[in-house]
Amino acid sequence: MSASDRILVQRLEKLQELRRQGVEPYTNKFFPTHRVNEVINRYGALSGPELEKLNSTFRMAGRLVLQRHFGKATFCHFQDESGRLQAYVQRQVVGEEAFSLFKKLDLGDFVGFEGTLFRTRTQELTLAVTSFVLLTKSLRPLPEKYHGLVDMEVRYRQRYLDLITNPEVRQVFLSRTRIIALIRHFLESRGFLEVETPMMQPLPGGAAARPFVTHHHALDMKLYLRIAPELYLKRLVIGGFERVFEINRNFRNEGLSILHNPEFTMLEFYQAYATYEDLINLTEELFGYVARELLGTLRLTYQGQAIDLSPPWQRLDLRESLTQLGNIPANVVYDKTALLALAKKEGVILRPGEGYGRALTKLFDLLVEAKLVQPTFILGYPTETSPLSRRNDDNPEVVDRFELFIAGREMANAFSELNDPLDQRERFVKQMEAHTSGDLEAHPLDEDFLTALEYGMPPTAGEGIGIDRLVMLFTDSPSIRDVILFPQLRPER
RNA sequence: GGGCCGUUAACUCAGUCGGUAGAGUAUCUGCCUUUUAAGCAGAGAGUCGUUGGUUCGAAUCCAACACGGCCCA
């Protein structure tokens, strides 16, 4: 029998023994009067004598995480959602029978306490227990009390153990929730309406990515998990909702990495009568708002790099970035034939139909992206790789679009929306040609969306911000798996 | 898909030159009424990721595979 089996057997025996003694190991209806942080915040500053004068009792509950037994007394720490507190259980106070029961409890058990507050010799705020009740018997041992749980695989597969053991992990997910709440508040205060659009779509549009496919039996039709909500949000702008946003999951059928999880959370928002230049300002303000509210400062450290979110952020043309940071001579960058040759030399594989524009963005990914540590808007994206963006009025070869880079990675993508239905149709047709020649990520032609556009969409700008990467930035997390509660893993064997 | 690293008790980790498995925590027993990773004494606990190979002998060397991590595509 393995050690873990033996512990399980031991505890099952304990469970039976408790029941024989008339102790219910899964007691219901214990209602705490205080949580740990309330007690610490309200009484943490009081002296021992002041605590005694309080003369009030506290009902508290939590999971046993540490215990130190003596012959006739026990110190233990229990933790609830808000924190950890020490409790002191004495035989002469709770009685002989109850005390021997308490000594039999295991780390991991949930216990309800009633008692008064005092200070120990070392001045630790402690609950002097007058009575207690076992609320939930735990049958499996917790990870080690000092080193905690370290094994990455177990931390991801059994996140609850990670959360019980590692307080900094709890903090990351509390921050994640707070960041999302702040973004909601920011957008709502500017008149944006939060909406929900289909996760299951008959055509996967709004981005360049391979989708997950599923099947609806009753309708006997193929459905795709969405890769982006974009085309549905624009339909809502057409329908008269002038400012909309959605924070929800996207699904992309691609490999796993430190930056990629197949399902991830995206913010997309659309603002009628705005241009991508308005969104530059809005983005600076949004990041600034989140940083000030969450961190109290616009300066943060990500993985050892100092990052300053103070506006205005640098703006750089895509092709200029290739000369300035990618060290590609200007005469190569602006010469289509020379650039294509360079791209080939750098290992970029271009499919039929892909040309200069694709080569530019690929070379940017390879040579420039990682160098953009401070927030930088890259402008001047080629029309060829932006099938949903409005062409620039002066130069139809590029679109009114930016991508935002911080800490060497893409954080946002925004553009003035293409609202000319005839141009949009042409772009879709080009994408279909790319698809035919083997680009599995090419955008499908969405006839239903074109119909909507033909009714007329006001001039609009839209943006997408990857929430997981944003949370990584603000919580200094190295991997996307650190900010997703249950990241995708291979199945265990 | 390729490269590198890791996988030993429930947890955190040692394990030398190939000689047959160790510590701390946790658990169990005993002592202990102000401890703080409490302490002291004792006990139990292992498919050394899996499968093959080399060898008199493999946690250790070799190969394949699985899972995880990092880097690259």
Side-chain angles (χ1 to χ4, degrees), chain A residues 137-155:
Chain A
K137 184 79 202 130
S138 165
L139 300 179
R140 294 181 186 272
L142 289 178
E144 209 237 15
K145 64 185 178 187
Y146 186 61
H147 298 93
L149 183 64
V150 171
D151 188 302
M152 288 290 209
E153 190 170 349
V154 180
R155 288 182 47 211

Side-chain angles (χ1 to χ4, degrees), chain A residues 55-285:
Chain A
N55 206 19
S56 44
T57 59
F58 298 80
R59 291 166 71 83
M60 305 183 71
R63 189 192 288 275
L64 286 184
V65 288
L66 284 173
Q67 50 186 358
R68 295 172 290 283
H69 292 300
F70 295 82
K72 301 184 181 66
T74 292
F75 282 96
C76 65
H77 279 86
F78 65 97
Q79 74 183 18
D80 65 15
E81 186 182 336
S82 69
R84 261 182 202 199
L85 190 71
Q86 181 167 259
Y88 185 43
V89 182
Q90 298 172 89
R91 189 172 77 169
Q92 72 179 47
V93 174
V94 299
E96 196 152 333
E97 200 177 324
F99 187 69
S100 63
L101 165 65
F102 193 79
K103 288 220 283 189
K104 285 205 171 64
L105 297 184
D106 292 298
L107 295 183
D109 289 354
F110 279 90
V111 181
F113 294 106
E114 191 165 318
T116 58
L117 290 175
F118 77 111
R119 274 187 192 287
T120 62
R121 264 181 210 159
T122 52
Q123 298 305 304
E124 179 163 349
L125 185 68
T126 302
L127 187 72
V129 175
T130 50
S131 66
F132 68 91
V133 54
L134 171 61
L135 298 177
T136 300
K137 184 79 202 130
S138 165
L139 300 179
R140 294 181 186 272
L142 289 178
E144 209 237 15
K145 64 185 178 187
Y146 186 61
H147 298 93
L149 183 64
V150 171
D151 188 302
M152 288 290 209
E153 190 170 349
V154 180
R155 288 182 47 211
Y156 295 145
R157 289 196 199 276
Q158 295 180 276
R159 182 69 92 178
Y160 47 91
L161 294 178
D162 197 22
L163 290 167
I164 292 168
T165 317
N166 298 320
E168 68 282 5
V169 173
R170 291 174 47 83
Q171 191 50 54
V172 166
F173 289 103
L174 291 175
S175 294
R176 180 185 175 112
T177 297
R178 173 121 172 88
I179 287 165
I180 292 171
L182 287 168
I183 292 170
R184 267 203 179 96
H185 180 258
F186 177 91
L187 290 170
E188 282 170 355
S189 72
R190 286 162 182 255
F192 284 85
L193 177 74
E194 181 168 11
V195 296
E196 293 180 88
T197 63
M199 309 283 252
M200 299 163 79
Q201 304 178 349
L203 270 183
R210 293 181 65 184
F212 287 93
V213 191
T214 187
H215 184 263
H216 190 290
H217 295 305
L219 297 176
D220 189 22
M221 70 182 289
K222 227 184 202 184
L223 281 171
Y224 300 89
L225 301 190
R226 76 178 187 190
I227 56 174
E230 169 150 358
L231 301 188
Y232 286 91
L233 291 171
K234 286 192 212 174
R235 284 173 172 93
L236 295 178
V237 176
I238 293 166
F241 289 127
E242 293 174 358
R243 296 184 181 199
V244 291
F245 76 99
E246 178 165 8
I247 298 175
N248 224 324
R249 221 65 63 82
N250 288 348
F251 306 86
R252 296 187 184 175
N253 209 335
E254 55 198 17
L256 310 172
S257 84
I258 205 165
L259 290 175
H260 298 89
N261 194 64
E263 55 179 305
F264 61 99
T265 301
M266 190 81 161
L267 161 67
E268 281 202 17
F269 57 91
Y270 291 80
Q271 179 174 347
Y273 312 110
T275 70
Y276 78 115
E277 286 167 313
D278 298 316
L279 297 190
I280 285 182
N281 297 326
L282 186 147
T283 303
E284 288 173 346
E285 287 167 32

Side-chain angles (χ1 to χ4, degrees), chain A residues 435-464:
Chain A
H435 191 88
T436 307
S437 52
D439 182 357
L440 296 173
E441 296 187 349
H443 202 291
L445 189 149
D446 189 333
E447 201 64 63
D448 187 74
F449 174 66
L450 286 172
T451 301
L453 266 193
E454 284 162 10
Y455 282 94
M457 181 169 79
T460 298
E463 177 164 348

Side-chain angles (χ1 to χ4, degrees), chain A residues 344-364:
Chain A
K344 200 171 175 186
K345 203 182 112 206
E346 291 285 339
V348 175
I349 296 163
L350 295 174
R351 285 176 286 251
E354 291 182 338
Y356 179 62
R358 177 77 170 175
L360 284 174
T361 57
K362 276 289 182 187
L363 284 169
F364 172 86

